[in-house]
């Protein structure tokens, strides 16, 4: 089974050896992610427009969206494809900096440029790079709490 490993350097070699001994293959595209408890990922290995693997910092993420089976990570400069499912991003991103705003989107709090109310308990967010992201009714209350509004 192919897995990703996101742990501190202090434990990396020890855990890597144990996983390999248990017949796990370490791969940046692995379906599963092993990480330390309460450790938030700071970097991700994603694919750029040419299909090449690139390291992207969590600080550079504006928002993440799911379109069908594709996961697209938006930064100010580029869009990247990810093999990491949206729900996994929720687990490894700092919940004080990132929030799920719909079944298909996660936003970075610091990248919100404008919040506009919409009908039926919704918001439309304008992100720093110009994209519009909807906060759906299901996530309305959680988003208000996240933003302190």
């Amino acid at each position: 089974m192919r897995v990703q490993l996101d742990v501190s350097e202090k434990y990396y070699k020890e855990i890597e050896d144990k996983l390999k001994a248990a017949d796990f293959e370490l791969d940046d595209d692995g379906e599963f992610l092993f990480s330390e408890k309460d450790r938030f990922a700071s970097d991700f290995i994603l694919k750029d427009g040419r299909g090449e693997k690139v390291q992207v910092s969590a600080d550079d993420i504006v928002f993440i969206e799911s379109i069908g089976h594709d996961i697209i990570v938006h930064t100010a400069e580029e869009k990247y494809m990810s093999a990491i499912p949206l729900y996994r991003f929720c687990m490894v991103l700092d919940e004080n900096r990132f929030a799920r705003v719909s079944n298909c989107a996660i936003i970075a709090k610091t990248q919100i440029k404008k919040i506009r109310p919409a009908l039926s308990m919704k918001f439309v967010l304008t992100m720093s790079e110009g994209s519009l992201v909807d906060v759906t009714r299901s996530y309305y209350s959680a988003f208000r709490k996240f933003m302190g509004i």
Side-chain angles (χ1 to χ4, degrees):
M1 178 184 305
R2 296 177 347 168
V3 298
Q4 297 177 48
L5 184 59
D6 181 28
V7 295
S8 61
E9 289 181 32
K10 178 180 177 182
Y11 302 112
Y12 191 92
K13 183 66 176 152
E14 176 186 350
I15 295 171
E16 176 186 35
D17 291 343
K18 287 181 180 181
L19 288 172
K20 285 182 177 180
D23 290 330
F24 286 94
E25 178 184 339
L26 297 184
D27 187 340
D28 292 332
D29 287 330
E31 182 178 352
F32 297 99
L33 173 70
F34 286 95
S35 66
E36 291 177 64
K37 184 177 180 181
D38 298 327
R39 175 182 162 89
F40 299 113
S42 58
D43 295 301
F44 298 94
I45 304 298
L46 306 172
K47 291 186 180 178
D48 64 12
R50 297 178 305 278
E52 296 178 18
K53 292 181 181 179
V54 191
Q55 186 170 346
V56 177
S57 171
D59 294 334
D60 295 334
I61 296 173
V62 175
F63 73 101
I64 304 166
E65 69 177 330
S66 170
I67 301 175
H69 293 291
D70 296 329
I71 305 297
I72 303 166
V73 178
H74 296 258
T75 66
E77 298 82 34
E78 195 168 340
K79 297 176 185 177
Y80 299 94
M81 298 300 291
S82 173
I84 304 168
L86 206 59
Y87 75 92
R88 288 274 186 214
F89 273 109
C90 289
M91 297 170 77
V92 297
L93 288 169
D94 183 349
E95 70 268 1
N96 295 314
R97 296 177 46 213
F98 293 89
R100 185 125 186 209
V101 295
S102 70
N103 285 339
C104 57
I106 298 171
I107 56 92
K109 185 178 196 176
T110 59
Q111 299 293 329
I112 300 171
K113 188 175 175 182
K114 186 191 316 183
I115 302 171
R116 187 182 52 180
L119 298 174
S120 300
M121 293 179 59
K122 294 182 181 181
F123 290 114
V124 176
L125 308 177
T126 304
M127 303 308 290
S128 62
E129 40 76 68
S131 295
L132 299 177
V133 178
D134 291 333
V135 177
T136 60
R137 191 177 348 192
S138 301
Y139 293 86
Y140 178 83
S141 295
F143 178 75
R144 287 188 59 183
K145 183 178 179 183
F146 174 71
M147 294 300 293
I149 54 176

